[in-house]
């Protein structure tokens, strides 16, 4: 963050007014860029950003289920289309600009894809005909959820043309929450799975073994992202029934409750974490949602950290890169658009 002004002299300090101090304190922490849409009557949502501020997500037509996967770079949004169906979304992007996500095909079945340039390639399933992808690492290894031949949903890992079933924590149901949500460059995977009793927990998968994560004192947890230091974030339930974002420094480590910020209510999701341990996500807020950032031991509403009068309400923060740039979704003058925040 930039300083709000050059350091004053000792004499100057004595004459700083309350008004000037307030102006300094209110200076925005981020600039905001509207990533636009693919058509004049459209919406967009950003789901992932890489180190060079390339972004992936979905853009479509308002009041419809139509959407294309988009790739954003150097100020321009480009359509990557779909796998032949009416909708698709890019959920992850790596350092090479590869995008992973899911799309409907011509039969309107959801299929996982990995992009190569502007081409989306269907990466298969686990025998049950459907799959969705949520993340990938810099080696192009993809994770997500797929239906097995028995009709169960299982987390998967896709590498070198092969999809591997990661198993579950004991579940045999067909819920999409049995899914791998994040993978780091060491190939450690995190996600959420049901156990045999019907409870769901975050998990860590490493070297062929799935380990159940804990909670914040309540019954359940979900894991959404892992960084290259094996720090994990997600959502976990507390003893009083609320659900808060957390950081766990390893798969079996206790979960650290990130708390809430002024105005946020009972539910806070941690959606992404960078290698500095900065978390971004979403919280319920006065009947709607607000984006947040957690850094330096404090959780803050991102709406309080952008220029005043911008016309934006930031409702969801989905990804953060090493430089602290954040992407997500918000409303800009009433229109639902993807955004890119850059620290000042």
């Amino acid at each position: 963050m930039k300083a709000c002004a050059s350091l004053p002299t000792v004499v100057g300090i004595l004459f700083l007014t309350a008004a000037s101090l307030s102006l300094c304190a209110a200076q925005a922490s981020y600039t905001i860029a509207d990533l636009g849409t693919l058509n004049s009557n459209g919406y967009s949502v950003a789901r992932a950003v890489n180190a060079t501020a390339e972004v992936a997500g979905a853009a479509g037509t308002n009041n419809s289920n139509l959407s294309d996967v988009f790739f954003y770079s150097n100020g321009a949004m480009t359509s990557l289309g779909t796998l032949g169906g009416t909708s698709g979304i890019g959920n992850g992007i790596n350092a090479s600009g590869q995008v992973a996500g899911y799309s409907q095909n011509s039969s309107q079945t959801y299929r996982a894809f990995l992009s190569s340039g502007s081409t989306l390639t269907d990466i298969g399933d686990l025998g049950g005909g459907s799959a969705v992808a949520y993340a990938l690492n810099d080696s192009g290894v993809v994770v997500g959820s797929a239906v097995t031949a028995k009709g169960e949903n299982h987390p998967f890992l896709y590498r070198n043309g092969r999809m591997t079933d990661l198993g579950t924590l004991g579940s045999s149901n067909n819920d999409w929450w049995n899914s791998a949500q994040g993978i780091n460059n060491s190939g450690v995977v995190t996600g959420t799975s049901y156990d045999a009793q019907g409870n769901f927990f975050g998990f860590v998968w490493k070297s062929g073994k799935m380990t159940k994560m804990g909670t914040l004192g309540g019954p359940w947890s979900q894991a959404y992202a892992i960084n290259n230091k094996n720090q994990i974030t997600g959502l976990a339930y507390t003893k009083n029934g609320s659900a808060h974002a957390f950081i766990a420094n390893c798969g079996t480590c206790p979960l650290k409750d990130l708390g809430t910020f002024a105005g946020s209510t009972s539910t806070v999701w941690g959606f992404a974490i960078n290698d500095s341990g900065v978390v971004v996500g979403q919280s319920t807020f006065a009947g709607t949602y607000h984006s947040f950032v957690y850094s330096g031991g404090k959780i803050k509403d991102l709406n309080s950290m952008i220029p005043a009068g911008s016309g934006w309400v930031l409702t969801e923060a989905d990804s953060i890169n090493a430089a602290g740039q954040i992407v997500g979704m918000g409303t800009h003058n009433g229109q639902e658009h993807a955004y890119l925040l850059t620290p000042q």
Side-chain angles (χ1 to χ4, degrees):
M1 185 191 307
K2 293 180 181 177
C4 61
S6 58
L7 290 173
T9 63
V10 174
V11 174
I13 292 174
L14 298 177
F15 292 95
L16 281 173
T17 65
S20 63
L21 285 170
S22 297
L23 181 62
C24 177
Q27 188 176 37
S29 301
Y30 296 90
T31 60
I32 185 165
D34 186 339
L35 302 192
T37 65
L38 292 171
N39 57 67
S40 59
N41 182 32
Y43 72 91
S44 59
V45 53
R47 284 291 173 83
V49 60
N50 67 13
T52 55
E54 294 173 326
V55 183
T61 304
N62 288 332
N63 302 316
S64 79
N65 294 321
L66 306 176
S67 67
D68 282 2
V69 179
F70 80 70
F71 176 84
Y72 176 93
S73 180
N74 297 319
M77 180 182 287
T78 303
S79 172
L80 299 184
T82 70
L83 290 172
T86 57
S87 67
I89 186 167
N91 286 319
I93 188 168
N94 67 11
S96 302
Q98 290 179 293
V99 177
Y102 58 86
S103 167
Q104 290 174 304
N105 62 15
S106 58
S107 300
Q108 303 305 317
T109 300
Y110 282 103
R111 305 290 296 176
F113 70 78
L114 176 64
S115 75
S116 176
S118 60
T119 302
L120 306 183
T121 299
D122 188 326
I123 61 173
D125 58 63
L126 292 174
S130 187
V132 294
Y134 292 114
L136 77 167
N137 66 13
D138 288 343
S139 298
V141 183
V142 181
V143 296
S145 180
V147 182
T148 69
K150 293 182 178 181
E152 301 171 4
N153 283 81
H154 284 197
F156 75 77
L157 181 145
Y158 173 87
R159 175 168 46 204
N160 298 327
R162 180 184 176 189
M163 185 175 287
T164 300
D165 187 338
L166 302 187
T168 71
L169 292 173
S171 166
S172 59
N173 68 24
N174 61 350
D175 198 298
W176 286 110
W177 274 15
N178 281 326
S179 65
Q181 295 277 337
I183 182 171
N184 65 18
N185 286 336
S186 298
V188 183
V189 179
T190 196
T192 303
S193 176
Y194 281 91
D195 64 15
Q197 289 73 45
N199 297 304
F200 56 89
F201 298 92
F203 71 77
V204 176
W205 183 93
K206 181 179 180 182
S207 302
K209 181 181 179 181
M210 182 179 288
T211 302
K212 182 172 72 174
M213 298 179 65
T215 72
L216 290 172
W220 306 300
S221 62
Q222 297 170 263
Y224 289 113
I226 185 169
N227 67 15
N228 290 315
K229 296 181 179 179
N230 293 330
Q231 293 178 302
I232 298 162
T233 193
L235 169 147
Y237 285 78
T238 66
K239 290 181 179 179
N240 66 9
S242 60
H244 291 176
F246 67 82
I247 292 178
N249 288 314
C250 66
T252 56
C253 294
L255 278 53
K256 177 181 179 180
D257 189 337
L258 304 192
T260 62
F261 55 85
S264 65
T265 51
S266 61
T267 307
V268 185
W269 293 265
F271 286 147
I273 184 168
N274 70 9
D275 287 348
S276 298
V278 181
V279 175
V280 296
Q282 179 187 56
S283 176
T284 50
F285 187 95
T288 182
Y289 299 98
H290 273 199
S291 304
F292 77 82
V293 61
Y294 175 89
S295 179
K298 296 181 179 180
I299 186 169
K300 297 180 181 179
D301 186 343
L302 277 169
N303 288 281
S304 69
M305 305 174 76
I306 59 175
S310 67
W312 280 94
V313 177
L314 309 182
T315 56
E316 187 173 314
D318 288 295
S319 183
I320 181 170
N321 66 14
Q325 293 175 293
I326 300 167
V327 297
M329 177 180 68
T331 57
H332 186 214
N333 297 323
Q335 299 296 311
E336 190 174 89
H337 283 195
Y339 65 79
L340 170 66
L341 301 183
T342 300
Q344 297 199 76

